[in-house]
Each structure stands twice: as structure tokens, then as C-alpha cells.
Amino acid sequence: MDHNQQTLVVTRFAPSPTGFLHIGGVRTALFAYLHAKRHNGTFILRIEDTDKEREVAGSIEHIQASLAWLGLEYEYGPDTPGPWGSVIQSERLATYQRYAKLLYDKGLAYPDPYTQEEVEVFRAAASAEKRPFLFRDHRPATFGVWDGSQPLRLKVPEVKRYTWHDAVRGELTAGPEALDDVILIKADGYPTYNFAHIIDDHEMGVTHIMRADEFIASTPKFLSIYDALGLTPPVFVSMPPVLRDDRTKKLGKRDGAKDILDYRTDGFLPEAMVNFLALTGWNPGTEQEFFSKQELINVFDITKIQRAGAVINEEKLLWLNKQHLAGLSDEDYLAYITDGDCVHPLLSTEHRAALEVLVPTIRERTHVRSEFLTALGAGEYDFAVAAPQYDTALLLWKKDPDVAAAQPRLEQVKNLLAPHNDWNSEALKALLMPYAESVGKGEVLWPLRVALSGRQNSPDPFTIMATIGKEATLERLSAACAKIQGDAS
Ligand code: GLU
């Protein structure tokens, strides 16, 4: 069957607004997005802000900016409510109250009659007897009137073993020990996550719940709430965690997980980030690694989500970014490399021509803009804007007994260059290589490169000559020869 003919797929990303999004959270959003788009379905951004104490101001905008950067467009979100109303849970309290009232009226929910101290006594007794504390063991014989001042608890409709299917994990099961009379509505009038997400997924028509696998342990509780409400649960799709490097734990903000927007600042392309995240916990079942977003949409398949946790492979991210950068025209690459607030003469209009000549070299040496800026800051491209300063000793090729050996070679290079006017790196290379090969490549190219750049590490001498032009090239060679003579006298 053509996948477009299937029932409409609706997925959601449901973060709590507790700060920035890191790579783990965004990966969940991406998978939910890809699954929806694969089936021409709907993707929703829902804000789960029922825990007001953990909320961090500005998070919603930050989450929106993160998804926008990656191009994960949603049909419904904070600025685009759906037919069911807002996607922000704190704006949906009346809905949760309505469902809570329904359960209460049916005798499937009851106000918690205990004080905190009383519950502590139950808990201590359970612990003394080495049995798990279950609220349902203390369920009151008759239920009081719910006036909203006490938490409302679920009366577990049936204490039984649940078995369910997870699209990634297969068949899962848990016994009655996982069930309890959980809180549905807190004393402050807000719903718990357990209750609110079930109602929202139902009202919003969510067909696939794609979330972290840490929620598997709570799934029997969720199933008992679905049962009480008489609802059929959506498909559960549990994502493997994104792990810390040492694989011992889920990657968290405390482990230094970066804000996803910091990757943008570093110069990662959103397409590369999406490509990378897609391969973190999912594989296409082929050798292909480079994917555009559209290609991912075409092939994404939830049955290929891995069960095992995935570790962030920074090297792969760098490699992918370079691959995606290769798709930029030289003009766009220049715009990319100069975007940001880095101040260096090479990036000024004055040196625009030099920078243009350097584009192929920078492309070859660079995975991400921050890497280029580091090299720039370290002086690796200073040759393009000023004559180099260096110790004469640097001109000494390791096989030469003394630095004076470089002088006749540099003179000969000068002689070859003087009448030559085809000033591009290919032509310069063709001109000088026969001589360099006749003497020994290192013996000629090393002092030549140092004379031009003044550095141990720099682009090759032909690129440098092409960048700085004939006049500056000859001047730098003369200066190197004068330096050698000066040192010798
Ligand atoms: N609000 C939950 C969280 O931030 C989302 C869980 C879900 O997707 O149902 O972890």
C-alpha cells in the first residue's frame, strides 16, 4: 500500500520549558517530525508546562528558535493553536478539569484524604516491612467530595498485568506492582504529566507517541489511565537515549550537553545537524550516510530506530558538515565563512580578493567555521594580509646542514618567477615543481613556504603566491635572502 494512503499520522514533540534544548531532545523532535512527514502527516509542538517551579523564562521562544533553525516546521505550536485550542498545557487547565470531573463522577477518581504526615507514616511502615509503598493499599473505603483543594487520584480500574506493543522494543509487559493510584490533578489545580499528556494526545489526535524510553517504566500507569478514560492508546515508539561518551548514563545538561543553537554559532549547517541527528539512534539499513532533509523524509522508517543508546560522534558531525558545505557555491561559502562577529583583516573588504582566492584552500582545510576562525586567530592566514615575521632559523629544512643552503634555492625560484605572469596556483606549481623535484622537494618547498608565510603550518606555497600576487611574492623571497645574508655576516 502506498504510505500516503494510510491513516493520517500525527506526532508531537512535547518538551517542558525548562531551559534550552540539547542534542538529545532535538533528536526526539527530529524523529517525530520525520515520521509525520514521511506519511504526509501532522507534527505538533506542545509545551508541557504543568510544573511551574521548574520553568525557565524564555524557554518556549528558545525551543521555537531551535526547531526553526533546523527546519522542523510544525503545523500546530505556541503561535498556531489547533481546533482543540492551545498547545500550551497551562492554557488548557479547563480541559483537564473536565476529564478529571468525568472520572470523579464515575467513581474512577477520588480526592486524596491524607495529609503529608499521614502518607509519610504509610511510607515508613512499608519501608520497615521491606515492601514497596503503594498508595492504592491505602485507598479510602469511601470517597470524599472533591473541591479541588486536595489532589485528585486515579482509582486504578483493574489491578492486572499489562502487555503492550512498542514499535521499537516489541512486546513489553509489567505486572500489577507497576500500577498505583497516581495523582491526576494536583492541589494547585494543575494536572500531572501522567494525566495531561494522555488527554492532550487524545484531543490532538496523536497517532504515535515518540518519546524517550525512560517513559517505558511508567507505561502501565498510563495504560490504566487510558482504561479509566475508555481510550485506545496511540502507538508507542520509544527512542533510545543519547548517551554520555562513557556510555554510563543519558547525556544531560550537567554533562556539558550544549544548547543546540551553539552549534549554529559554531557554524554547523542545519542540514548537517539534521543529517547527523538522524543517524544518532537510527540507520537507513544501507551504507548511505549523506542525506538531505527531504531524502530522510523519503526513507525514514520507525522500525529501523535502534534499541541501544547512541553516543554523539563529534568527528562524524564534523565530517558531515564538511560534506554539506561542499554543496555551497564559492559565493555562498564566502558568505558562510565571514558570517559572525570575528574581526580579522582578512575578513575586511580590503582583502576580499585574497579571501576569494583562498576559498578552495579554506574549504579543504575546514570542517566548520569555528575551526577556520581558530586557524585565523592562530595566524595561519596572516600571510594574506602582511609580510611575515619569523626567525631565520625557520627557513632551515631538516635535511640541510645550515640555513644558508636555502639562499641559492630561493634565488633560483625568484629567477623562475620573475618573467612569469600566469599567476594562479596551478600554473605556479607547473613552473616550479620540475626545479623542486630536481633538487629535492623539501629543500625547495620548505624554505619557500616559510619565506612566504613565516610559519611551520600554512597552506601550500602555490596557494600563498596566488593569494598575495607577484610583487609581494618576489619581495618576500628577497627579504628571506637578505635575512639569511644578514644572519651570516
Ligand atoms: N514533557 C516531557 C519531557 O519533557 C515529554 C514526554 C513526552 O513526550 O510525552 O520529558
Side-chain angles (χ1 to χ4, degrees):
M1 178 166 66
D2 179 342
H3 66 261
N4 294 339
Q5 314 277 295
Q6 293 171 9
T7 357
L8 186 66
V9 167
V10 180
T11 65
R12 82 314 193 261
F13 176 50
S16 301
T18 54
F20 62 77
L21 284 182
H22 68 68
I23 219 159
V26 175
R27 200 276 318 260
T28 300
L30 174 65
F31 283 15
Y33 169 86
L34 289 175
H35 182 56
K37 297 300 131 186
R38 170 80 176 94
H39 298 278
N40 285 336
T42 302
F43 176 55
I44 300 171
L45 169 62
R46 184 168 76 218
I47 304 297
E48 302 207 323
D49 61 341
T50 55
D51 188 347
K52 286 292 167 190
E53 277 168 25
R54 288 181 56 225
E55 196 161 326
V56 175
S59 305
I60 298 182
E61 293 73 17
H62 206 89
I63 289 166
Q64 289 181 284
S66 303
L67 298 188
W69 175 53
L70 294 169
L72 307 188
E73 311 90 10
Y74 40 83
E75 278 67 37
Y76 302 107
D79 306 317
T80 40
W84 57 79
S86 175
V87 299
I88 303 175
Q89 288 189 328
S90 62
E91 295 176 1
R92 304 175 51 74
L93 300 185
T95 302
Y96 311 123
Q97 292 282 342
R98 182 157 51 80
Y99 280 86
K101 183 87 178 23
L102 252 152
L103 291 182
Y104 170 73
D105 288 345
K106 280 196 200 156
L108 287 169
Y110 62 94
D112 181 337
Y114 302 113
T115 62
Q116 215 146 32
E117 293 71 33
E118 285 168 322
V119 174
E120 278 320 307
V121 173
F122 298 152
R123 211 180 278 281
S127 139
E129 289 166 31
K130 297 201 181 346
R131 58 178 169 82
F133 168 68
L134 288 172
F135 200 93
R136 62 178 160 83
D137 292 342
H138 305 276
R139 189 185 293 154
T142 53
F143 298 163
V145 175
W146 181 43
D147 63 6
S149 65
Q150 284 287 79
L152 186 73
R153 286 188 180 269
L154 172 76
K155 173 182 175 288
V156 173
E158 193 186 348
V159 176
K160 63 170 190 181
R161 168 165 287 276
Y162 275 101
T163 300
W164 70 99
H165 184 78
D166 185 296
V168 175
R169 300 299 197 93
E171 189 165 290
L172 296 170
T173 180
E177 68 284 350
L179 296 178
D180 203 3
D181 288 1
V182 291
I183 295 181
L184 304 174
I185 303 279
K186 296 178 275 183
D188 63 4
Y190 278 80
T192 54
Y193 164 75
N194 292 344
F195 191 47
H197 88 272
I198 289 173
I199 291 166
D200 285 346
D201 286 339
H202 168 63
E203 290 241 319
M204 299 175 187
V206 170
T207 57
H208 294 75
I209 296 187
M210 304 184 62
R211 66 181 159 207
D213 61 4
E214 67 204 44
F215 290 95
I216 289 177
S218 310
T219 302
K221 290 191 176 79
F222 303 154
L223 291 170
S224 68
I225 299 176
Y226 285 107
D227 277 350
L229 290 166
L231 298 176
T232 308
V235 179
F236 297 111
V237 187
S238 296
M239 316 271 189
V242 175
L243 300 173
R244 302 198 310 191
D245 280 350
D246 62 7
R247 289 186 171 271
T248 56
K249 217 169 134 267
K250 195 177 117 171
L251 177 77
K253 292 178 186 171
R254 258 175 265 143
D255 309 304
K258 284 202 291 192
D259 178 345
I260 193 77
L261 290 178
D262 287 347
Y263 288 92
R264 173 176 66 178
T265 313
D266 286 345
F268 287 97
L269 297 180
E271 299 79 15
M273 206 70 215
V274 162
N275 189 165
F276 172 71
L277 287 169
L279 299 176
T280 304
W282 175 85
N283 74 73
T286 64
E287 293 296 301
Q288 187 177 350
E289 293 202 288
F290 183 95
F291 289 93
S292 67
K293 192 174 86 174
Q294 189 55 49
E295 284 174 317
L296 287 168
I297 291 173
N298 295 345
V299 299
F300 190 77
D301 175 355
I302 51 173
T303 65
K304 295 204 175 83
I305 296 176
Q306 293 155 15
R307 292 182 185 196
V311 173
I312 296 301
N313 181 345
E314 293 271 355
E315 263 172 38
K316 187 169 201 168
L317 172 59
L318 286 166
W319 178 81
L320 279 171
N321 202 55
K322 193 172 175 183
Q323 305 303 306
H324 282 269
L325 282 170
L328 297 186
S329 66
D330 281 358
E331 198 181 323
D332 288 345
Y333 193 88
L334 259 182
Y336 162 77
I337 217 82
T338 52
D339 185 26
D341 48 17
C342 176
V343 184
H344 186 279
L346 182 61
L347 303 180
S348 67
T349 346
E350 192 193 339
H351 292 287
R352 182 80 183 178
L355 192 57
E356 275 173 20
V357 176
L358 279 172
V359 163
T361 307
I362 297 173
R363 274 186 191 269
E364 199 183 298
R365 304 174 91 222
T366 304
H367 295 89
V368 64
R369 182 173 54 235
S370 56
E371 196 177 54
F372 165 68
L373 296 181
T374 303
L376 199 60
E380 287 180 29
Y381 294 95
D382 285 359
F383 64 81
V385 296
Q389 307 286 322
Y390 57 95
D391 281 346
T392 316
L394 197 59
L395 290 162
L396 181 67
W397 168 245
K398 56 184 183 244
K399 285 193 204 143
D400 281 334
D402 79 78
V403 77
Q407 195 189 339
R409 295 173 197 151
L410 292 177
E411 294 287 2
Q412 177 58 15
V413 169
K414 255 176 67 181
N415 292 339
L416 289 166
L417 290 174
H420 185 81
N421 287 314
D422 190 6
W423 214 261
N424 63 71
S425 63
E426 284 309 309
L428 291 164
K429 189 171 182 177
L431 175 73
L432 297 183
M433 277 319 269
Y435 169 63
E437 273 159 6
S438 71
V439 179
K441 275 203 259 179
E443 283 84 341
V444 175
L445 299 183
W446 175 271
L448 174 58
R449 211 174 48 71
V450 172
L452 296 165
S453 72
R455 296 183 54 92
Q456 217 155 345
N457 297 314
S458 72
D460 68 82
F462 312 109
T463 301
I464 300 180
M465 290 190 277
T467 309
I468 63 178
K470 182 170 176 178
E471 200 182 328
T473 300
L474 296 177
E475 270 169 26
R476 290 183 194 188
L477 293 182
S478 300
C481 292
K483 254 164 124 51
I484 295 172
Q485 274 190 329
D487 271 27
S489 59

